[in-house]
Each structure stands twice: as C-alpha cells, then as structure tokens.
Amino acid sequence: GNSVTQMEGPVTLSEEAFLTINCTYTATGYPSLFWYVQYPGEGLQLLLKATKADDKGSNKGFEATYRKETTSFHLEKGSVQVSDSAVYFCALRGPSGSARQLTFGSGTQLTVLP
Amino acid sequence: DTGVSQDPRHKITKRGQNVTFRCDPISEHNRLYWYRQTLGQGPEFLTYFQNEAQLEKSRLLSDRFSAERPKGSFSTLEIQRTEQGDSAMYLCASSPGQGAGEQFFGPGTRLTVL
C-alpha cells in the first residue's frame, strides 16, 4: 500500500535560517504529492503540490520537487520566519483510478526563534 | 466564508455515549472525506463519499462508526458507544471532481471521551 515517511521532529531554527524537511514515499504508479501546514489551533492548509515527476511546487517561499528516481518530495525554504512555526505534513494521493484518499506522514513540528 | 465547516468544534462525552459530528463541504465539491488525527500523528483516512455514495471505508472504521451524506451535501459521522480510544481530532475535507486531488480541510472536531 501507499506510505509516507517524514523527517522526525521537532526542528528548531533561528530566523532567516535555511529549512529542509525530508519526505520519501512508497506508492505504485505516479501519485500526486502534497505538503500541508497546520498552524497552532487551526486546520490543515494546503501549502504546495506536484502532480508528476520533476514538477516543482512552490508557495510562500517554500518549494518541493517531485523526484521519481529517489521517491522523494523534500520541503525547502531559503529563509524561515517566526510566522512559519507550525507542523508540516507530507502527503500523497494515488494516481487516477486508485484510492482517492490522502496518505499522510506523521508530521514535523517546526519552531523558528527570533 | 466558503471553506469547509465542522460542528461542533469540541465535544466532551462519557464513555458509552453516542456522538454525532457534522461537516459542510465547499458547496461545489462533490467529494467528501473523513479523517482521524491523534496527537503527534498525521491524519488517517476513515471514509469517502462521492456525492451521496459512500465509496470507501477504512478498516479503522469499526461497526460503531457510521457516516452519511444525504443528498450529497453535508455529512454526518456518528460514533456509538464511545470508548476512550476514540478521543481524537475528527477532520472533514472536500475536493472537486477534477484536478490534482487536493483536499480542503475543515477546522476539525476535537472529541474527548472521559
């Protein structure tokens, strides 16, 4: 079945530091890949997505590239801000014709210090 | 606000009681999903509707759980004879019938079973 393995947290960085959160997946075919963010006390929000190999999703300074050869979708940001403190979830959805639900990783808690 | 809404936001109940949660999806979305999230974990899929038809159910959805989506609009999730292990955040998400399959999440209902 489908699975997502995400970098263990928590991660603590200083403001303006470079961020990488690793995500690898197991799936048949070509899944769609997503990063969701959950701010304290709020619901999950879609941060970015990629639907095919070598696609780069980007939003709010965050980027992730769909790497089929390494089955990875690592999240990066060049300069984090205190407001980026949240829990980040990597997720996949199977290709068309397969299960419709999202499979999530366990989440990575990010804390950015001023 | 045209996002996904859930009611109630919080529910505290005693073991053995029945509870019911409601989800109102984004109006033009025909797909609706329920997930459960426990502390420190990513959301886990429970069940999925396309319009009014319940098309998939997870093995996590025991006989005590039932979900409906009458007329393909709002959905309800009922838990009968609640157990302490049912304590979790119950998330609802919706998605349109086309596109990459990104799902839009509500704020969740936090259930505490005493």
Side-chain angles (χ1 to χ4, degrees):
Chain A
N2 297 336
S3 68
V4 175
T5 301
Q6 207 174 319
M7 174 178 170
E8 294 281 332
V11 174
T12 303
L13 296 173
S14 298
E15 203 165 26
E16 299 184 2
F18 184 84
L19 168 71
T20 299
I21 301 177
N22 290 339
C23 171
T24 57
Y25 67 89
T26 301
T28 54
Y30 292 85
S32 296
L33 301 173
F34 307 87
W35 276 99
Y36 280 82
V37 57
Q38 190 170 35
Y39 297 103
E42 298 185 15
L44 287 163
Q45 298 177 25
L46 178 65
L47 181 60
L48 53 82
K49 66 182 182 185
T51 59
K52 61 183 186 293
D54 300 324
D55 264 3
K56 178 184 282 187
S58 61
N59 186 26
K60 300 181 181 179
F62 291 89
E63 293 182 338
T65 301
Y66 188 143
R67 300 289 187 198
K68 181 67 176 175
E69 63 276 13
T70 54
T71 61
S72 65
F73 193 54
H74 304 321
L75 182 68
E76 296 182 336
K77 187 175 185 182
S79 176
V80 293
Q81 305 300 312
V82 172
S83 57
D84 294 327
S85 297
V87 182
Y88 292 81
F89 293 94
C90 184
L92 71 82
R93 176 184 174 275
S96 178
S98 68
R100 301 283 183 182
Q101 67 267 26
L102 294 171
T103 300
F104 286 87
S106 57
T108 301
Q109 170 81 55
L110 170 67
T111 301
V112 181
L113 303 176
Chain B
D1 186 7
T2 57
V4 178
S5 62
Q6 292 186 246
D7 184 71
R9 295 290 305 274
H10 303 274
K11 179 70 176 179
I12 300 174
T13 191
K14 293 182 179 178
R15 189 174 52 187
Q17 298 295 305
N18 299 344
V19 294
T20 299
F21 309 142
R22 176 180 170 124
C23 170
D24 287 89
I26 294 171
S27 59
E28 62 268 26
H29 288 181
N30 62 359
R31 293 176 182 163
L32 186 147
Y33 309 79
W34 285 98
Y35 294 83
R36 182 171 67 189
Q37 184 180 20
T38 53
L39 197 63
Q41 298 299 315
E44 294 175 295
F45 170 72
L46 293 178
T47 190
Y48 153 61
F49 290 85
Q50 182 159 319
N51 299 312
E52 67 275 10
Q54 187 174 20
L55 297 184
E56 281 190 56
K57 290 196 291 186
S58 163
R59 284 171 289 180
L60 291 175
L61 212 67
S62 76
D63 292 345
R64 297 184 297 104
F65 287 69
S66 63
E68 295 182 340
R69 193 182 182 197
K71 303 178 183 178
S73 55
F74 71 92
S75 176
T76 58
L77 177 68
E78 181 183 16
I79 309 174
Q80 296 182 326
R81 306 181 302 282
T82 53
E83 301 173 355
Q84 289 186 326
D86 297 331
S87 296
M89 179 75 85
Y90 290 84
L91 299 171
C92 177
S94 69
S95 71
Q98 63 281 342
E102 61 265 37
Q103 297 175 16
F104 298 86
F105 283 80
T109 294
R110 181 167 295 284
L111 172 66
T112 302
V113 182
L114 302 176

